Amino acid sequence: QVQLVESGGGLVQPGGSLRLSCAASGSIFSINAMGWYRQAPGKERELVATITSSGSPNYADSVKGRFTISRDNAKNTVYLQMNSLKPEDTAVYYCNADLKRAIWSYPTNYWGQGTQVTVSS
């Protein structure tokens, strides 16, 4: 079965940095787009950043200039480097991948369990 496992979350002070990682494992033929989403208490889940299989990124306006998304296709892993963190960045961050399990199948979305990021003094 396909699994996405996030790591790297934690507690940091405003202005600090964190690096999130998400590794996909299991029966995978190919991975198309990957991305990061977040959900704060009382709010809907929102897109943070996505990246295509060729490495083209897309960011939410709220994180542009502060966050960087990247991927290592050989490791089926996507990263999110978060700098200049603000209290409003506090949320559970979820990894997402659009992938095919076989050459004859069509793409399906998978989600990780999430990792907590807390920015506070």
Side-chain angles (χ1 to χ4, degrees):
Q1 184 60 249
V2 173
Q3 291 186 331
L4 302 181
V5 180
E6 302 102 333
S7 62
L11 173 65
V12 297
Q13 296 184 6
S17 298
L18 281 175
R19 178 178 168 86
L20 305 183
S21 298
C22 173
S25 62
S27 181
I28 300 172
F29 174 74
S30 64
I31 302 179
N32 299 317
M34 302 185 77
W36 290 94
Y37 296 72
R38 67 186 182 187
Q39 186 168 21
K43 297 183 179 180
E44 295 184 357
R45 186 174 299 186
E46 64 176 354
L47 183 148
V48 176
T50 61
I51 185 168
T52 67
S53 60
S54 61
S56 297
N58 183 55
Y59 300 96
D61 289 340
S62 60
V63 306
K64 286 182 178 178
R66 300 188 297 121
F67 291 9
T68 302
I69 188 171
S70 61
R71 65 190 289 170
D72 185 336
N73 291 337
K75 298 181 179 179
N76 288 338
T77 300
V78 63
Y79 306 93
L80 186 68
Q81 178 66 47
M82 305 184 293
N83 299 325
S84 301
L85 284 163
K86 305 174 181 179
E88 49 263 45
D89 294 319
T90 296
V92 176
Y93 284 69
Y94 296 91
C95 176
N96 174 267
D98 184 54
L99 60 84
K100 297 176 64 175
R101 299 190 65 188
I103 190 171
W104 55 82
S105 66
Y106 56 87
T108 302
N109 271 59
Y110 289 85
W111 291 92
Q113 293 299 305
T115 184
Q116 178 71 48
V117 172
T118 302
V119 185
S120 176
S121 299

